[in-house]
Amino acid sequence: MLRWVRQQLGFDPPHQSDTRTIYIANRFPQHGHYVPQKFADNRIISSKYTVWNFVPKNLFEQFRRVANFYFLIIFLVQLMIDTPTSPITSGLPLFFVITVTAIKQGYEDWLRHKADNEVNGAPVYVVRSGGLVKTRSKNIRVGDIVRVAKDETFPVDLVLLSSDRVDGSCHVTTASLDGETNLKTHVAVPETAVLQSVANLDKLVAVIECQQPEADLYRFVGRITISQQMEEIVRPLGPESLLLRGARLKNTKEIFGVAVYTGMETKMALNYKSKSQKRSAVEKSMNSFLIIYLIILLFEAILSTILKYAWQAEEKWDEPWYNEKTEHERNSSKILRFISDFLAFLVLYNFIIPISLYVTVEMQKFLGSFFIGWDLDLYHEETNQRAQVNTSDLNEELGQVEYVFTDKTGTLTENEMQFRECSINGIKYQEVNGKLTPEGFSEDSPDGNRHSLMKEEELFLKAVCLCHTVQINADQTDGADGPWHANGIASPLEYYASSPDEKALVEAASRVGVVFTGTSGDTMEVKSLGKPERYKLLHVLEFDPNRRRMSVIVESPSGEKLLFTKGAESSILPRSKSGEIDKTRIHVDEFALKGLRTLCVAYRRFTPEEYQEIGKRLREARTALQQREERLADVFNFIERDLELLGATGVEDKLQEKIQETIEALRLAGIKVWVLTGDKHETAVSVSLSCGHFHRTMNILELVQHKSDSTCAEQLRQLAKRIKEDHVIQHGLVVDGTSLSLALREHEKLFMEVCKNCSAVLCCRMAPLQKAKVVRLLKTSPEKPITLAIGDGANDVSMIQEAHVGIGIMGKEGRQAVRNSDYAIARFKFLSKLLFVHGHFYYIRIATLVQYFFYKNVCFITPQFLYQFFCLFSQQTLYDSVYLTLYNICFTSLPVLIYSLFEQHVHPHVLQSKPVLYRDISKNAHLGFKPFLYWTILGFFHAFVFFYGSYLLMGEDTSLLRNGQMFGNWTFGTLVFTVMVITVTMKMALETHFWTWINHFVTWGSIVFYFIFSLFYGGIIWPFLHTQDMYFVFVQLLSSGSAWFAIILIVVACLFLDVVKKVLYRHLQPTSTEKAQLTEAGSGINCLDSMCCFSDGETACTSVRRMLERLMGRCSPTRVNRSWSSSDPFYANDRSILTLSTMDSSTC
């Protein structure tokens, strides 16, 4: 128990060494002083709370919020000292907010517990005591031998021991881990592969030494030591031997594996790590406003306290005859009395801080996020994928984006590769009707119609067919003739590959006559024009991003040892010593200029002595437990040299639909687009030009191939000078990875200056961490712009997590980007709808919500402050305690919530077809100091009108009832409160442009509810209330015609100036958005610029009501004549729950 506590506190880490030793089947050594290592159990825990810690932990998290903690202090003050209001007035709203949030978080955690229990309770089979034992997943221990059957999910991270196949191989799919649906092959070591029965496995004596758990899905270093016939055999273990929890067994009847990582130490669980919390600009503004209002509150409380003592300096007011002090009060300390009075005023005015703001904002974000998933315009039919929201905290940030960082492959392009051209032995070839045809020859020319392949062509195609990680669908088997027609042309085999490039190349080779027909054990089968050949696979030199190439060593049918290598031209050409190197380099550059993805192919023959040396070095590096990657990299570099160049390939990755329009729209919206890609310079520039990122008229500046700081700095200075000289022309900048590293090391400021003056920036040959570094550089620059990163692959995850908003594309490179993103969409073109419509709406809604909350609380508490001038600062409350409690919870909460969910101040189609409207809300325009000041002053103004309007009506001794009876202070307070509830609700109605039946119901329903509640509350003597000051007060107030007149007059007086201000600003200083709401064209309205269209024969100014609707930017949805149109610039199929169809301008 003590050890567990120490581990939880971090004093006693569970793993002291860098490696773990696992005894298979938990057969520990019987001799010596062996101390077994402690490993985690196999329970998965994704929940945040337990039954015991939910209340304290949840309360701690909630009271970390400033507003919640502040109200807790106020509540405690009310309990401790004599205050003018009941503790219930602060306690009940606080309890409501805390309870609602706790229920929401508790429910979400209960769902996590439920999911955990299902996973932990799943049945599994374990080899124990010579037989298979059925147990629960949570009971598996490290060292247990586990059996997994076909289509089952692996319950732990296992090292494969054997399968139903003789060679000990099995196929798995890791779709749930990284989204890759292709089949991956895993193999057992030969000594355990033969142990295919439970009885044989139970006799196995072996020890596994491997690294401690780490999150990298693709890295595993270990070795297995097998004791056989008094000798020990050591075999290396790598990622090909590790079966990950969450992956699924395919095309294999059953496998046996030993558990090496369990529970929260599995690679899947280690990838659960929560991302750093992102906070939106709106949330930061909200906290700033809270601090300002806290200062206002303290000022009012201090001023009231000082004025109270200034007033009481006169003896007659210090102790009036009707309120004599007790002996204790006379003798009490003046300092304590001052503090007590200050705290009492603090309690009296505390409602100026809106406690329910947090819970309303949370509900708005949570409920509002569903609209993105429901939007049919963001649904992709081909893949049956809809938009996905992983965090709702950043909805409004979608309306504030200034920089977009995008990946190229799979994000701007389809990641669907098609073979286009190749270069073999210095000659360019194209595929024509399933044949390789040299450039310049047609099928009709003498050499164009050939049925055989030249030696160089055949060797090149064999290299393509042997050097890859492609798998074949296991259901496709060779029959008598195999997959061949009589003419020797291959019928299509179904290939699976983790790389679309490899799949395209293998398919192209099969079409032109060299077909990869599968693997059997360590044998690869190839058919060249129908003639089968078997190559023994000796070694695979796996691809890695640093080498940028992969290789295989095979033994040909004639017994020759051959190395086939394929990779980027920058990693193959410098290592080639023969072949048509110069011609191939020219061809590669030509392919790249056409926007094709290029790979170079080379080979090497080994003498028996060379191969023996290579085999020895590889074995040593692969069995090393320390620095295995570095040793392997050295050996790979030793092997992959003195190559003979065979040729190069050009594969096309076509652009996604409507990429050009989307990028142009982003540019019109004032958003700068940066493309960050790992592709080579020429390919990236070509794609940038074709997708509209670079214009043909743009001046392209280059910062590439710099090796030293000095040359890089000099080039940057020259670029900065050119930009200043040609400031009229648009500039585009191209940077490569090495130059970028130099620029960021010493010349960050100069580099940023150049980048900011460029309309478009393209960074090529980028490593994943470099992408994140570029995003961080922009993000932390003095202007602090809002950044958005969008990508589809695992290499984009760091960039997505670094940006303010991360968007994952549901592409073909797995689901890692989607899992780590804030939002996920199926295509890049959906980004325009997400930003220009959803982002715009969310920002406007929440900006209004936040400021309206502060406004209505200023309206609420300022009359309380003014009332103190009329009651000698005696801390007498103006409102009844029930009204104080329910004002924010019931009377004014729903209209603003519904507004923040449904408001559409401009038609969605207009927002999307006019990207320039996005500029109106950029740089937090609606939540800056000016709008905040306007709403605050408006709140104070309305509060003064409520209070002094009611005071002037009632006067000193005015009788407003027929019997001559006068109103008392509770009636006065109720009149002020009634006017206030109606005014703040009507103010929300004035802000609403898009009316639905729900808006009408909650707006007018809130006012009606207030009247009904007040009648019941004041019309009945409630037995559970100690005092009932409000008995019959409301009924008496409403029985006065003068009171009704006063209510109407004061509400109109408050809102009239607001309406006048709106009308004047709309006509004298209209924003682009207001112009889009309503643009007059002749006698009618231009439908393309406005929300409002009218039916045939009806002009825009047929009535005063129409005029007022236009002045307020309104229209009735029933009068809008809409029709489907295929000419919509972004979405021909406009079927959104939020977005109406294209408007028909012919009816205006």
Side-chain angles (χ1 to χ4, degrees):
M1 180 67 183
L2 183 62
R3 179 185 174 84
W4 181 85
V5 171
R6 286 175 61 82
Q7 281 183 12
Q8 298 304 307
L9 294 173
F11 297 131
D12 188 14
H15 306 302
Q16 302 293 346
S17 64
D18 293 332
T19 60
R20 57 169 54 188
T21 304
I22 299 155
Y23 292 87
I24 294 180
N26 290 304
R27 288 194 177 86
F28 303 117
Q30 301 301 315
H31 57 276
H33 301 285
Y34 171 71
V35 179
Q37 288 176 286
K38 298 285 184 183
F39 302 120
D41 60 25
N42 199 38
R43 283 179 302 169
I44 285 290
I45 303 168
S46 63
S47 55
K48 193 175 180 181
Y49 307 106
T50 65
V51 175
W52 310 109
N53 73 9
F54 174 72
V55 173
K57 195 172 180 180
N58 188 264
L59 287 178
F60 172 73
E61 286 173 355
Q62 292 206 55
F63 284 119
R64 284 164 67 187
R65 283 185 165 169
V66 177
N68 289 350
F69 185 71
Y70 161 77
F71 268 86
L72 177 65
I73 297 298
I74 293 293
F75 176 64
L76 294 174
V77 167
Q78 285 178 291
L79 288 174
M80 288 188 290
I81 67 168
D82 183 21
T83 55
T85 56
S86 163
I88 292 171
T89 57
S90 295
L92 193 62
L94 179 65
F95 177 75
F96 173 76
V97 169
I98 296 292
T99 305
V100 167
T101 310
I103 289 170
K104 173 180 168 280
Q105 292 176 351
Y107 173 70
E108 288 172 352
D109 206 60
W110 175 75
L111 292 178
R112 286 192 284 266
H113 270 284
K114 194 176 172 186
D116 288 347
N117 290 337
E118 283 182 20
V119 172
N120 294 330
V124 292
Y125 287 92
V126 178
V127 176
R128 282 181 188 157
S129 306
L132 272 181
V133 178
K134 187 177 181 180
T135 183
R136 293 181 183 274
S137 174
K138 64 182 179 183
N139 297 328
I140 297 175
R141 296 168 298 169
V142 170
D144 281 346
I145 299 174
V146 182
R147 191 204 75 169
V148 180
K150 184 180 178 181
D151 292 327
E152 286 183 356
T153 302
F154 300 118
V156 289
D157 287 354
L158 301 164
V159 164
L160 180 61
L161 294 177
S162 65
S163 71
D164 62 319
R165 298 179 181 181
V166 179
D167 61 355
S169 67
C170 70
H171 296 297
V172 305
T173 175
T174 55
S176 62
L177 294 171
D178 55 15
E180 294 177 5
T181 53
N182 58 293
L183 295 179
K184 295 183 173 70
T185 305
H186 291 258
V187 290
V189 297
E191 285 74 20
T192 62
V194 295
L195 308 174
Q196 294 179 309
S197 68
V198 174
N200 288 336
L201 282 165
D202 195 49
K203 296 173 187 173
L204 175 65
V205 178
V207 179
I208 291 174
E209 292 172 272
C210 63
Q211 62 187 153
Q212 294 292 4
E214 63 169 36
D216 190 342
L217 294 174
Y218 309 105
R219 186 173 183 272
F220 178 69
V221 178
R223 66 182 175 205
I224 183 169
T225 305
I226 304 152
S227 301
Q228 277 186 355
Q229 298 168 355
M230 303 301 290
E231 67 170 330
E232 290 188 346
I233 302 167
V234 180
R235 295 287 184 190
L237 297 174
E240 71 284 347
S241 306
L242 188 69
L243 305 171
L244 299 177
R245 177 176 190 142
R248 192 178 292 273
L249 185 65
K250 290 283 185 183
N251 293 0
T252 311
K253 186 180 175 185
E254 66 174 13
I255 65 100
F256 289 94
V258 60
V260 287
Y261 304 130
T262 49
M264 298 308 291
E265 292 182 341
T266 57
K267 290 185 180 286
M268 184 179 80
L270 292 172
N271 276 278
Y272 283 159
K273 284 180 182 174
S274 57
K275 304 185 289 290
S276 60
Q277 190 66 33
K278 294 181 181 179
R279 291 172 67 218
S280 70
V282 170
E283 194 177 334
K284 292 168 189 170
S285 298
M286 204 162 77
N287 290 339
S288 304
F289 297 161
L290 274 173
I291 291 167
I292 292 169
Y293 271 65
L294 199 58
I295 292 167
I296 293 171
L297 169 66
L298 292 170
F299 171 75
E300 288 184 350
I302 292 168
L303 181 64
S304 298
T305 311
I306 292 169
L307 288 174
K308 175 178 181 175
Y309 282 92
W311 204 294
Q312 289 179 357
E314 291 185 52
E315 198 171 325
K316 65 171 182 175
W317 297 123
D318 183 35
E319 194 175 349
W321 59 270
Y322 55 82
N323 191 16
E324 290 185 4
K325 291 181 181 179
T326 63
E327 195 65 34
H328 175 71
E329 286 173 332
R330 287 195 188 100
N331 297 328
S332 61
S333 165
K334 286 186 178 181
I335 295 172
L336 287 175
R337 281 214 312 261
F338 186 90
I339 293 170
S340 177
D341 284 327
F342 168 72
L343 290 173
F345 279 118
L346 209 60
V347 167
L348 194 63
Y349 304 146
N350 78 82
F351 282 95
I352 199 169
I353 306 292
I355 186 174
S356 53
L357 173 61
Y358 279 118
V359 76
T360 308
V361 166
E362 269 197 20
M363 288 172 70
Q364 188 268 346
K365 287 183 174 184
F366 175 69
L367 297 172
S369 63
F370 286 107
F371 288 115
I372 292 176
W374 292 338
D375 190 344
L376 291 177
D377 279 347
L378 302 182
Y379 169 73
H380 193 242
E381 282 188 38
E382 291 173 30
T383 55
N384 190 29
Q385 289 169 330
R386 60 180 186 173
Q388 185 178 312
V389 180
N390 296 332
T391 174
S392 59
D393 292 339
L394 302 169
N395 293 343
E396 65 279 4
E397 206 82 330
L398 293 169
Q400 295 295 296
V401 175
E402 295 170 62
Y403 282 86
V404 166
F405 298 92
T406 173
D407 177 41
K408 183 183 75 67
T409 307
T411 305
L412 299 179
T413 60
E414 287 284 8
N415 207 8
E416 278 184 10
M417 308 302 174
Q418 291 180 327
F419 175 79
R420 287 286 177 245
E421 296 182 64
C422 66
S423 169
I424 304 174
N425 200 31
I427 301 170
K428 273 205 287 187
Y429 291 82
Q430 292 175 328
E431 184 189 353
V432 179
N433 296 332
K435 297 181 182 66
L436 271 187
T437 308
E439 192 178 48
F441 290 89
S442 66
E443 196 176 351
D444 301 327
S445 60
D447 291 333
N449 191 12
R450 300 174 301 156
H451 291 282
S452 61
L453 293 168
M454 290 166 59
K455 184 184 174 185
E456 294 86 355
E457 295 170 356
E458 189 175 4
L459 184 60
F460 174 84
L461 292 170
K462 283 179 182 175
V464 166
C465 282
L466 293 169
C467 184
H468 57 70
T469 57
V470 176
Q471 301 293 326
I472 293 178
N473 188 342
D475 297 333
Q476 289 183 297
T477 55
D478 284 351
D481 297 323
W484 294 86
H485 296 306
N487 61 2
I489 303 299
S491 66
L493 283 164
E494 192 176 352
Y495 293 112
Y496 295 95
S498 53
S499 164
D501 298 72
E502 287 190 336
K503 185 183 176 193
L505 291 173
V506 172
E507 286 175 343
S510 72
R511 289 195 299 271
V512 296
V514 179
V515 186
F516 168 63
T517 56
T519 56
S520 176
D522 59 358
T523 304
M524 299 180 80
E525 295 181 10
V526 174
K527 285 187 178 179
S528 179
L529 294 175
K531 180 186 171 187
E533 293 181 11
R534 291 174 181 266
Y535 289 81
K536 186 177 181 183
L537 182 62
L538 302 172
H539 297 285
V540 177
L541 280 55
E542 297 84 1
F543 175 86
D544 70 63
N546 298 321
R547 282 170 44 246
R548 297 184 66 82
R549 59 185 179 272
M550 79 158 286
S551 304
V552 293
I553 301 175
V554 296
E555 186 180 315
S556 69
S558 61
E560 247 186 325
K561 306 290 192 300
L562 300 172
L563 168 81
F564 290 113
T565 303
K566 165 181 87 187
E569 87 290 342
S570 59
S571 66
I572 299 291
L573 296 181
R575 296 180 163 271
S576 302
K577 69 169 186 178
S578 60
E580 295 289 346
I581 298 172
D582 293 331
K583 285 184 180 179
T584 305
R585 184 180 278 113
I586 293 167
H587 290 164
V588 165
D589 290 341
E590 288 175 5
F591 294 164
L593 286 171
K594 294 177 185 177
L596 303 181
R597 291 164 64 87
T598 58
L599 287 172
C600 287
V601 182
Y603 86 113
R604 178 184 174 187
R605 300 176 194 272
F606 293 122
T607 63
E609 294 78 19
E610 284 176 332
Y611 179 71
Q612 199 172 356
E613 171 69 13
I614 284 165
K616 181 186 171 187
R617 287 195 179 202
L618 274 172
R619 268 193 305 278
E620 287 174 0
R622 282 185 165 145
T623 52
L625 276 182
Q626 304 298 326
Q627 298 180 319
R628 181 182 291 184
E629 281 88 353
E630 291 84 347
R631 291 190 187 186
L632 279 173
D634 291 341
V635 176
F636 289 174
N637 286 328
F638 172 75
I639 297 169
E640 296 164 331
R641 61 191 173 90
D642 300 335
L643 303 173
E644 186 174 335
L645 188 64
L646 290 172
T649 60
V651 176
E652 183 187 36
D653 187 5
K654 66 178 183 179
L655 289 176
Q656 284 189 19
E657 190 186 0
K658 293 177 181 171
I659 287 291
Q660 288 179 319
E661 294 95 322
T662 307
I663 290 178
E664 186 57 34
L666 291 170
R667 191 175 281 121
L668 286 172
I671 298 170
K672 288 191 175 182
V673 180
W674 288 35
V675 175
L676 312 180
T677 178
D679 269 359
K680 73 188 298 281
H681 173 208
E682 292 81 4
T683 306
V685 171
S686 174
V687 172
S688 275
L689 285 165
S690 61
C691 73
H693 178 236
F694 283 167
H695 288 298
R696 298 285 172 187
T697 56
M698 199 178 271
N699 184 18
I700 307 295
L701 308 173
E702 292 190 347
L703 184 69
V704 294
Q705 294 179 344
H706 288 284
K707 304 293 182 188
S708 68
D709 275 342
S710 55
T711 58
C712 183
E714 181 58 33
Q715 179 70 1
L716 276 170
R717 280 189 281 271
Q718 287 180 10
L719 293 179
K721 188 179 175 184
R722 277 184 67 183
I723 289 169
K724 282 178 184 172
E725 289 170 356
D726 304 333
H727 58 86
V728 180
I729 306 170
Q730 280 194 326
H731 299 279
L733 178 68
V734 183
V735 194
D736 65 5
T738 53
S739 303
L740 182 75
S741 298
L742 294 170
L744 296 184
R745 193 184 303 159
E746 297 288 337
H747 317 289
E748 210 172 88
K749 195 174 178 182
L750 186 60
F751 176 69
M752 283 302 303
E753 186 187 329
V754 171
C755 288
K756 284 179 182 176
N757 289 313
C758 291
S759 304
V761 178
L762 168 65
C763 302
C764 52
R765 290 296 191 214
M766 296 280 283
L769 287 175
Q770 279 184 311
K771 291 184 178 184
K773 200 169 182 179
V774 170
V775 175
R776 193 182 311 120
L777 185 68
L778 259 294
K779 189 175 152 186
T780 55
S781 63
E783 294 83 7
K784 297 280 191 294
I786 303 298
T787 57
L788 179 148
I790 179 168
D792 72 320
N795 59 331
D796 302 314
V797 169
S798 53
M799 169 177 82
I800 285 169
Q801 290 183 331
E802 184 61 49
H804 291 94
V805 182
I807 296 184
I809 296 281
M810 302 167 188
K812 298 178 175 64
E813 286 194 24
R815 284 289 184 275
Q816 278 180 296
V818 171
R819 284 208 325 268
N820 289 279
S821 65
D822 304 307
Y823 302 89
I825 50 178
R827 287 290 181 270
F828 185 84
K829 66 176 181 178
F830 295 152
L831 187 62
S832 62
K833 178 78 185 281
L834 194 65
L835 298 185
F836 302 154
V837 179
H838 290 286
H840 200 118
F841 281 157
Y842 285 133
Y843 177 74
I844 291 292
R845 290 166 183 169
I846 203 162
T848 307
L849 180 149
V850 169
Q851 295 180 121
Y852 176 78
F853 250 94
F854 286 107
Y855 152 80
K856 72 185 180 81
N857 279 44
V858 167
C859 289
F860 180 38
I861 223 64
T862 304
Q864 184 87 294
F865 172 67
L866 296 173
Y867 186 56
Q868 296 308 303
F869 287 88
F870 294 86
C871 67
L872 290 180
F873 295 92
S874 60
Q875 295 146 14
Q876 168 64 37
T877 179
L878 178 62
Y879 314 120
D880 182 71
S881 291
V882 171
Y883 285 161
L884 279 170
T885 306
L886 298 183
Y887 175 74
N888 276 320
I889 294 176
C890 297
F891 300 147
T892 58
S893 59
L894 279 179
V896 68
L897 178 62
I898 297 302
Y899 167 92
S900 67
L901 290 174
F902 296 115
E903 173 63 359
Q904 295 182 25
H905 64 302
V906 182
H907 192 279
H909 174 80
V910 176
L911 285 177
Q912 205 172 331
S913 59
K914 286 184 171 291
V916 74
L917 298 181
Y918 193 80
R919 294 173 186 248
D920 276 3
I921 60 168
S922 63
K923 298 190 184 296
N924 208 9
H926 288 252
L927 264 180
F929 186 71
K930 280 186 179 178
F932 167 69
L933 194 62
Y934 165 72
W935 279 90
T936 303
I937 291 171
L938 186 69
F940 280 114
F941 167 71
H942 284 182
F944 274 80
V945 175
F946 302 155
F947 185 84
Y948 286 107
S950 303
Y951 180 73
L952 288 172
L953 170 77
M954 299 184 68
E956 296 286 327
D957 299 308
T958 311
S959 172
L960 298 177
L961 297 172
R962 282 181 297 178
N963 60 7
Q965 187 179 348
M966 292 186 296
F967 285 166
N969 67 315
W970 290 116
T971 312
F972 173 70
T974 305
L975 175 62
V976 173
F977 193 83
T978 304
V979 170
M980 179 172 57
V981 168
I982 296 170
T983 305
V984 298
T985 306
M986 291 296 290
K987 172 63 181 166
M988 189 75 263
L990 277 178
E991 293 298 315
T992 305
H993 294 87
F994 189 78
W995 284 89
T996 65
W997 68 267
I998 305 175
N999 292 80
H1000 283 291
F1001 178 76
V1002 298
T1003 301
W1004 317 122
S1006 292
I1007 296 172
V1008 171
F1009 172 75
Y1010 165 69
F1011 276 87
I1012 293 171
F1013 174 83
S1014 297
L1015 286 169
F1016 270 91
Y1017 172 59
I1020 300 171
I1021 296 175
W1022 299 99
F1024 52 82
L1025 294 176
H1026 298 298
T1027 59
Q1028 199 156 348
D1029 298 322
M1030 295 297 294
Y1031 180 65
F1032 222 64
V1033 168
F1034 198 69
V1035 177
Q1036 192 180 40
L1037 176 69
L1038 297 188
S1039 65
S1040 168
S1042 302
W1044 279 103
F1045 177 73
I1047 291 169
I1048 295 167
L1049 188 66
I1050 295 169
V1051 170
V1052 171
C1054 283
L1055 299 177
F1056 177 72
L1057 287 176
D1058 204 39
V1059 173
V1060 170
K1061 178 255 176 190
K1062 278 180 175 290
V1063 171
L1064 288 175
Y1065 266 81
R1066 190 174 288 274
H1067 278 269
L1068 299 176
Q1069 288 184 318
T1071 62
S1072 303
T1073 305
E1074 287 166 346
K1075 287 176 185 175
Q1077 286 173 342
L1078 190 74
T1079 302
E1080 291 191 3
S1083 60
I1085 295 174
N1086 185 342
C1087 293
L1088 297 178
D1089 293 326
S1090 172
M1091 286 175 69
C1092 301
C1093 282
F1094 299 97
S1095 303
D1096 292 334
E1098 185 181 335
T1099 65
C1101 304
T1102 51
S1103 67
V1104 175
R1105 182 163 63 85
R1106 292 282 186 274
M1107 182 185 72
L1108 286 172
E1109 282 179 346
R1110 298 203 313 280
L1111 289 175
M1112 299 308 295
R1114 305 275 171 71
C1115 73
S1116 169
T1118 57
R1119 293 193 186 87
V1120 179
N1121 190 345
R1122 305 182 178 91
S1123 66
W1124 302 110
S1125 168
S1126 60
S1127 62
D1128 186 326
F1130 294 101
Y1131 303 94
N1133 259 336
D1134 205 358
R1135 306 155 300 163
S1136 167
I1137 192 168
L1138 291 175
T1139 308
L1140 300 169
S1141 62
T1142 312
M1143 301 185 195
D1144 183 6
S1145 58
S1146 64
T1147 61
C1148 295

